[in-house]
Amino acid sequence: MAAAAVQPVAVFGCRPRVAGGVCFLEEQVVLHAAGAGCLRLHLEHKWHNFIPGTEKSRGVQALAVSPDRRFLALSEAAGEQPVLAVYELTAERARRRKVLAAEELPARQAVSLAFSPDCRLLAAATAPPEGHLACWLWEKRQLAAAVRLQAAGGGPCQVSFNPQDNTQVCITGNGFFKLFKYSEGYLKQMNLQRGQPENYLCHAWLSEEEVICGTDTGKLSLFETGELHWEKSLEYRKTPRNQEDTTNEYESGLAFEDNDLQQHSLPQISAVAAYSKGFACSPSPGVVLLFEKTGEKEVYEERQEVWLPQDQFSTEPKKSSRQDIACICFSPSEEMMVVGTNKSQIYMFTMFSTKLIREKISYFAYMNFPLHSNSVTGLDMCIWKPILATCSLDRSVRIWNYKTNTLQLCKEYQEEAYTVSLHPTGLFCLVGFSDKLRFISLLYEDMHVLKEFAVKKCRECSFSNGGHLFAAVNGNVIQIYSSITFENVTNLKGHTGKVHAIKWSADDSKFVSCDTHGAVYEWNLSTGKKESECVLKTCMYSSISLTYDAKIIFAVGSDQTLKEISESLIQHEVPAYDVVYTTVAVSRSGRVIFVGTSLGTIRAMKYPLTLKKDFSEFQAHAGAVTKMTITSDDQFLLTASEDGCVFIWKVYDKEGGAVKGEQEFEYAEEVLIMRSDIDEKSQAILDLQIFVRDLKTESDYELRLKDMYCEGKIKALEENFAQEIDSLKTKHQILQEEKEKQQLQYEVQLSEMMDKQAREVQQLESDSSQKLSMESEKYQELQVKSQKMEEEYEKQLHKLEESKIRAVAELKEHYEKKLKHKSVLLEEAKENIRKQIEAHEEMEKQIYEDGDKEISELKDKYEKQLLEEKESNMQLKGEIGVMNKRLNSLQKELKDRNRDIEEMRLEQQKLQDIIKSLEKDILALKTDVKERTETILEKEKHVYDLKMKNQELQNFKFVLSNRIEEFKKQIESRENDIETMKKQIHEMEEQLEQFRKESVELKLTITQLQQKQKATAGEVHKEMEKKQNMETLIKRFKADLLNCVRFINDSKKMKDGIHELYTKYVHQPGMVEAQAEDGDLQQQYKKQQEYNERNLAVLRKKGMKDKEMHHTAYMRIMQENMSLIKEINDLRQELRVANAQVHDLQSALRLNKNKKSIQDTAPSSELLSSPAVLRLNPQMESEKIIEMQQLEIQYLRDQIQEMEQALNCPGSVSFSPKSS
């Protein structure tokens, strides 16, 4: 196998005491802290996805998931300085996006994190002694704002954002509750704390303004906009009675709980979480209370208690159910609640409506399975099955399946477990406890101790690869036992220190061990003596591993090196680079070596080893790796750590492909089970089969009875429905006849209305012709006025043109003078620049010549002086300094001259820009002249358009006057119609009152019939009782008859039996008469019942019909009223518009006479643009009037039809009492 890489495929463990340690990413995906990172876990499909932390991470202290569930923020303890990092969760493998750090803040660990609703800001509360609240623009790695929190207690506990406001932050802690507002790079406090300060342990936002807080004294405080709104003190909750065990087995657990209650009797709200109906909180260990909102004074009311379950595998079930709840979270659909405890356990509860749940107390269930809560001390795997065994200081032994990612077996003992070893078959295991070594059978659902060995504090034990032997370490002696006879075969003595690790060779012929005094021994089991040894007293070995051929030993210890030992010598030593190696494992091929470190990381090295830093390191555990092993097919690497987590790694090549084993191995599926368990289960199966048979017979009998009852009911209903159908048919025929009569009446009325309409149309035509003649005279007068106005406008236009020509000429002369003056100035400036440039060039030439001469003279002088006298060196240096100053001054002058030249150039550019701007002004003036000429032409066109509009207005005025008179006549006719309709409405209201009285009478009759029905029902009940009595009597008679039938052969006994039957049943006074009377009464009762039911059904139908008719009539009247009111309002609006138009026309025509009325021109111009201008032709106007009249005729026809319907309704109502 080439150089390999590993990837975690499963993680069994949870990190406790992490702020926000458990949260939902999806409906079935949960994220929680585990090892040195976080774990994504799918509840249904059981897949695991591990998110490793930063390099040298010692575990997550706080985490937060963004509201859109795309990003994850982690606060980690890594090395000397804490780390705050943000990860992106959208990818299949989460990747780190940003690491946040600021020089302004001290390097403190973040104890709580929170994202803003828009996911742009990240709030972090740092730990004391210098508590800070910091807001980060995390995508830019920029510290947006920070505030120091001065708290008398232990500093901040929790921080959160308002779910509806991106700028509002809430932070609570020991002695303070504060709300901050983020704006423009500052955090400003919004609330003023009043009253005595309390230690707020947790809080949650219930709405945009409400925050619920929990204290260390069990008090719930509801703050609304920063002010205390509601308080409630919760009591310490005791475990419910139905959860308590009465057996003597758990007396120790009960005693422990009593002591615990005495010490911690005060409630303490350790966690709060909000959901849509209210919130959940934990006031005592092991319980969560669900509160829901009410409309009463007490804003929130307790609805349900949810308790942690007792661990049936534990020796102290009471203790397991009293864990402190550190975190509560709800799924996105709020169908599931998950909690995390201080004992590294995660529980789940399916949320139901409180209305559906009758019992107030419910219980959590494990989310998948229970986990280790303390350091894992032992780990081993077997060959036959895909299982691994672990033991821990939490006194439990667990069997895991690394293929299905499940827990198969779990059991807790009284003593701490230090080591575990699985038999190659996977049916047995060895566990070293503090008092004994136990040989345990792994049953189907339990672990059974088969044999105990007197080996105290056994730290290492191991089955041989063949499974026929096992070794156990007893101090510095290694004892070899037989797995079949349990006899002590040999004892391997020779170690002077405590043995830390033992390994069997592949063929079980050799045995290797190491101890704390630096000795590595190789033993021959056939002789029981050492074959080779390698001793290095400066090193305390902690773990060893063998290659498959047992020729090379790899050992790690306290000297921070990996040693390769062969032939009793250390061949290679690979340094660990400031880390202690704790465990080592070699692949079956021998080409890859895996090493665990004290920081919890895993390193993969390829063999042969090199002295270079040639290895791959993987982040995993938050504590030192205690145990490590590789499966026999080199597919998986199994690691355990002090943090209580077990990691299962998939081994890959560097290229990314999975490592292939030599051959595929089919795992065994055999399981051990006790004979007593088989007997119990078989007996339970038989009992259940008998119970199922009894249930089947009972259900068949009940089904038959129900069928009989349903058939009788169906027959009765069919008869009732047939009678109702007949009565409805008769009513339908009567209503059709009435409808035909009313139709004939309405046809006669329609013909009369049509004649009236024709007469009215003729009158309107004669009136319109007279109005048209009057309007034509007015039009001629307006024409004369418009001609006068045209002449005046033409004079004004001539004056304006002359004034414009003069102004343009004056502007031309002014700007030409300016141009001449500027051109003269430009020529003068150019001459000055030329002179200055020439003078500057001459100065430069003189300066360079002087400088050259002086430099040559100085060189000659210095050469002579150096040859003649060395003593005058100091004086020459002074002269050199003077000359340097001169040169510097000359250079400065040169620079100043250059600056002057550049300034002159800039001035020249400015003058050129001025010339260009003047040229642009000239062009602009020319364009202005063109535009002025164009505007003059446009105004002339506008004057012409005004003349044409004036003519159109005159025509429109004439049309409007005609329309006004027509509207006045229409209003009078409509007012008359309104009065008639009001009278009709009054009549309809009187009819409504009559209908109401009739409905009241019908209700009274219905109540009487209902009382009669109740009385008949009572009689029916009595008759049923009589019937039952008769049936019991018949049954008795049948039983007595059967007794008589026995004596058919004996005539005397038969005669006596029949005589007794006669005297008992027949010869009773009044028996026959009673039966006859009962039959007559039953017949009369049936007839009376049928008659009453028919009458009741008829009356109900009549009542319903009357109600419907009343309702429809009332609604029709209301609709007619509304339509009439709308028509009146529309006519009034049309009148107002017409009056306004006439007024505007008159004001427009009197422009020449009255100059003060300037504002009245605006409405006239609006009228020009309105669509009413189109109505100019009198023929078109008359056609529109005819169309309006036709619409009115159609409206009247609709009214006639509605009246027909109104007349139909009273007829049907009046018919109902006759039919009754």
Side-chain angles (χ1 to χ4, degrees), residues 243-296:
Q243 198 177 6
E244 292 178 1
D245 295 309
T246 56
T247 58
N248 295 325
E249 187 179 354
Y250 302 120
E251 284 181 0
S252 61
L254 290 167
F256 171 81
E257 190 190 14
D258 293 336
N259 294 330
D260 189 32
L261 287 169
Q262 288 175 3
Q263 292 174 2
H264 306 285
S265 58
L266 288 174
Q268 182 175 337
I269 297 171
S270 57
V272 171
Y275 66 108
S276 58
K277 293 181 180 179
F279 64 91
C281 68
S282 174
S284 306
V287 66
V288 172
L289 305 181
L290 296 176
F291 285 81
E292 291 185 5
K293 195 164 188 178
T294 59
E296 300 173 1

Side-chain angles (χ1 to χ4, degrees), residues 1098-1109:
V1098 170
L1099 287 169
R1100 280 178 181 169
K1101 289 176 183 176
K1102 286 178 181 177
M1104 292 296 290
K1105 284 181 180 178
D1106 291 340
K1107 282 182 182 179
E1108 289 175 358
M1109 296 296 288

Side-chain angles (χ1 to χ4, degrees), residues 91-223:
E92 190 175 329
R93 288 284 169 189
R95 62 187 183 89
R96 188 166 59 197
R97 284 281 299 272
K98 306 288 180 185
V99 177
L100 309 178
E103 296 179 356
E104 299 92 338
L105 292 176
R108 298 289 179 194
Q109 197 168 340
V111 295
S112 180
L113 301 171
F115 279 97
S116 62
D118 61 355
C119 306
R120 290 179 65 249
L121 289 172
L122 176 65
T126 58
E130 294 182 3
H132 283 82
L133 171 62
C135 282
W136 298 82
L137 288 164
W138 63 270
E139 289 184 345
K140 299 178 181 178
R141 295 186 185 177
Q142 180 183 346
L143 181 65
V147 173
R148 186 175 178 181
L149 301 169
Q150 295 179 353
C157 291
Q158 188 180 354
V159 64
S160 65
F161 272 95
N162 188 328
Q164 306 294 329
D165 190 353
N166 296 317
T167 60
Q168 194 173 2
V169 185
C170 176
I171 186 164
T172 54
N174 191 353
F176 64 89
F177 166 80
K178 293 183 180 182
L179 293 171
F180 289 94
K181 185 84 172 177
Y182 170 71
S183 64
E184 298 177 357
Y186 292 98
L187 285 167
K188 298 176 183 177
Q189 189 171 346
M190 295 171 63
N191 66 324
L192 293 171
Q193 195 167 351
R194 297 174 183 174
Q196 293 181 354
E198 296 191 23
N199 186 5
Y200 296 105
L201 300 178
C202 52
H203 72 266
W205 288 87
L206 301 179
S207 66
E208 189 175 353
E209 297 178 348
E210 293 181 345
V211 182
I212 190 79
C213 298
T215 67
D216 61 346
T217 58
K219 189 186 288 184
L220 285 171
S221 302
L222 181 66
F223 293 91

Side-chain angles (χ1 to χ4, degrees), residues 27 622 648 1036:
E27 190 61 34
I648 297 167
R1036 288 176 189 171

Side-chain angles (χ1 to χ4, degrees), residues 906-1067:
L906 291 168
E907 285 179 2
Q908 187 179 357
Q909 287 177 359
K910 286 178 182 177
L911 289 167
Q912 286 176 355
D913 293 334
I914 290 162
I915 290 159
K916 288 177 182 178
S917 64
L918 289 168
E919 288 174 354
K920 287 178 182 178
D921 291 336
I922 290 160
L923 290 169
L925 287 166
K926 287 178 180 178
T927 52
D928 286 336
V929 171
K930 287 180 182 179
E931 287 173 358
R932 293 282 175 86
T933 54
E934 287 174 358
T935 51
I936 289 159
L937 293 169
E938 285 175 0
K939 284 185 178 179
E940 286 175 355
K941 287 180 183 178
H942 185 63
V943 169
Y944 180 75
D945 293 333
L946 285 169
K947 287 177 182 178
M948 295 299 291
K949 285 178 183 178
N950 195 5
Q951 290 177 0
E952 290 173 357
L953 283 168
Q954 287 174 357
N955 295 328
F956 186 66
K957 183 184 176 185
F958 178 74
V959 173
L960 282 172
S961 62
N962 290 328
R963 291 286 292 168
I964 288 160
E965 289 178 359
E966 288 172 4
F967 284 134
K968 284 179 181 177
K969 289 179 181 179
Q970 286 178 4
I971 288 161
E972 289 175 357
S973 63
R974 292 290 173 87
E975 284 177 350
N976 294 325
D977 292 334
I978 288 160
E979 288 177 355
T980 54
M981 292 302 287
K982 282 181 180 176
K983 290 177 183 177
Q984 288 177 1
I985 290 160
H986 185 66
E987 289 172 0
M988 294 298 285
E989 285 175 352
E990 290 176 353
Q991 287 179 1
L992 272 172
E993 288 178 357
Q994 290 176 2
F995 292 147
R996 285 174 189 166
K997 289 176 183 177
E998 288 174 359
S999 66
V1000 170
E1001 290 174 359
L1002 287 168
K1003 284 179 182 177
L1004 289 169
T1005 54
I1006 288 160
T1007 52
Q1008 290 173 1
L1009 288 167
Q1010 285 175 350
Q1011 289 174 357
K1012 287 179 182 178
Q1013 189 181 7
K1014 287 178 182 177
T1016 53
E1019 290 174 358
V1020 167
H1021 185 66
K1022 289 177 183 177
E1023 291 297 323
M1024 290 294 287
E1025 288 179 352
K1026 287 180 182 178
K1027 186 182 176 185
Q1028 288 176 358
N1029 293 329
M1030 291 299 293
E1031 284 176 353
T1032 53
L1033 195 141
I1034 288 159
K1035 285 179 181 177
R1036 288 176 189 171
F1037 182 74
K1038 285 179 179 178
D1040 292 334
L1041 263 175
L1042 288 169
N1043 290 326
C1044 286
V1045 169
R1046 292 177 188 173
F1047 308 113
I1048 288 171
N1049 297 322
D1050 194 350
S1051 60
K1052 287 182 179 180
K1053 289 181 180 180
M1054 186 78 176
K1055 189 177 180 182
D1056 294 333
I1058 291 162
H1059 184 70
E1060 285 176 1
L1061 284 170
Y1062 180 79
T1063 55
K1064 190 174 181 180
Y1065 295 104
V1066 179
H1067 194 68

Side-chain angles (χ1 to χ4, degrees), residues 977-1198:
D977 292 334
I978 288 160
E979 288 177 355
T980 54
M981 292 302 287
K982 282 181 180 176
K983 290 177 183 177
Q984 288 177 1
I985 290 160
H986 185 66
E987 289 172 0
M988 294 298 285
E989 285 175 352
E990 290 176 353
Q991 287 179 1
L992 272 172
E993 288 178 357
Q994 290 176 2
F995 292 147
R996 285 174 189 166
K997 289 176 183 177
E998 288 174 359
S999 66
V1000 170
E1001 290 174 359
L1002 287 168
K1003 284 179 182 177
L1004 289 169
T1005 54
I1006 288 160
T1007 52
Q1008 290 173 1
L1009 288 167
Q1010 285 175 350
Q1011 289 174 357
K1012 287 179 182 178
Q1013 189 181 7
K1014 287 178 182 177
T1016 53
E1019 290 174 358
V1020 167
H1021 185 66
K1022 289 177 183 177
E1023 291 297 323
M1024 290 294 287
E1025 288 179 352
K1026 287 180 182 178
K1027 186 182 176 185
Q1028 288 176 358
N1029 293 329
M1030 291 299 293
E1031 284 176 353
T1032 53
L1033 195 141
I1034 288 159
K1035 285 179 181 177
R1036 288 176 189 171
F1037 182 74
K1038 285 179 179 178
D1040 292 334
L1041 263 175
L1042 288 169
N1043 290 326
C1044 286
V1045 169
R1046 292 177 188 173
F1047 308 113
I1048 288 171
N1049 297 322
D1050 194 350
S1051 60
K1052 287 182 179 180
K1053 289 181 180 180
M1054 186 78 176
K1055 189 177 180 182
D1056 294 333
I1058 291 162
H1059 184 70
E1060 285 176 1
L1061 284 170
Y1062 180 79
T1063 55
K1064 190 174 181 180
Y1065 295 104
V1066 179
H1067 194 68
Q1068 287 183 0
M1071 190 75 184
V1072 178
E1073 294 174 359
Q1075 287 177 355
E1077 286 175 1
D1078 290 337
D1080 295 333
L1081 283 168
Q1082 284 178 359
Q1083 288 177 358
Q1084 288 178 3
Y1085 171 73
K1086 286 179 181 177
K1087 288 178 182 178
Q1088 186 68 30
Q1089 186 179 4
E1090 289 174 357
Y1091 177 75
N1092 288 333
E1093 285 176 352
R1094 288 173 187 171
N1095 287 337
L1096 223 171
V1098 170
L1099 287 169
R1100 280 178 181 169
K1101 289 176 183 176
K1102 286 178 181 177
M1104 292 296 290
K1105 284 181 180 178
D1106 291 340
K1107 282 182 182 179
E1108 289 175 358
M1109 296 296 288
H1110 294 165
H1111 183 69
T1112 52
Y1114 181 72
M1115 291 300 293
R1116 191 184 65 256
I1117 291 160
M1118 290 296 291
Q1119 287 175 358
E1120 288 174 357
N1121 260 333
M1122 293 293 290
S1123 62
L1124 286 168
I1125 290 160
K1126 284 180 182 177
E1127 284 178 5
I1128 291 159
N1129 290 329
D1130 293 334
L1131 288 166
R1132 284 174 180 169
Q1133 286 179 356
E1134 285 177 4
L1135 260 175
R1136 287 172 188 167
V1137 170
N1139 288 326
Q1141 288 176 353
V1142 170
H1143 180 69
D1144 295 334
L1145 285 167
Q1146 288 174 358
S1147 61
L1149 292 167
R1150 292 172 187 172
L1151 275 169
N1152 293 327
K1153 293 179 180 179
N1154 299 321
K1155 291 182 181 179
K1156 294 179 182 178
S1157 59
I1158 295 163
Q1159 295 176 353
D1160 297 334
T1161 57
S1164 66
S1165 63
E1166 290 172 3
L1167 284 169
L1168 289 170
S1169 60
S1170 66
V1173 178
L1174 297 171
R1175 287 183 275 180
L1176 303 172
N1177 195 354
Q1179 290 179 358
M1180 293 288 287
E1181 191 66 22
S1182 62
E1183 285 175 2
K1184 287 185 179 179
I1185 290 163
I1186 290 159
E1187 286 177 1
M1188 290 291 290
Q1189 292 295 326
Q1190 286 175 355
L1191 289 168
E1192 286 179 0
I1193 289 159
Q1194 186 65 37
Y1195 173 74
L1196 289 167
R1197 283 178 182 170
D1198 294 333

Side-chain angles (χ1 to χ4, degrees), residues 61-76:
Q61 303 300 317
L63 65 87
V65 175
S66 62
D68 60 0
R69 295 177 173 84
R70 288 182 57 210
F71 303 105
L72 168 69
L74 296 180
S75 170
E76 303 172 76

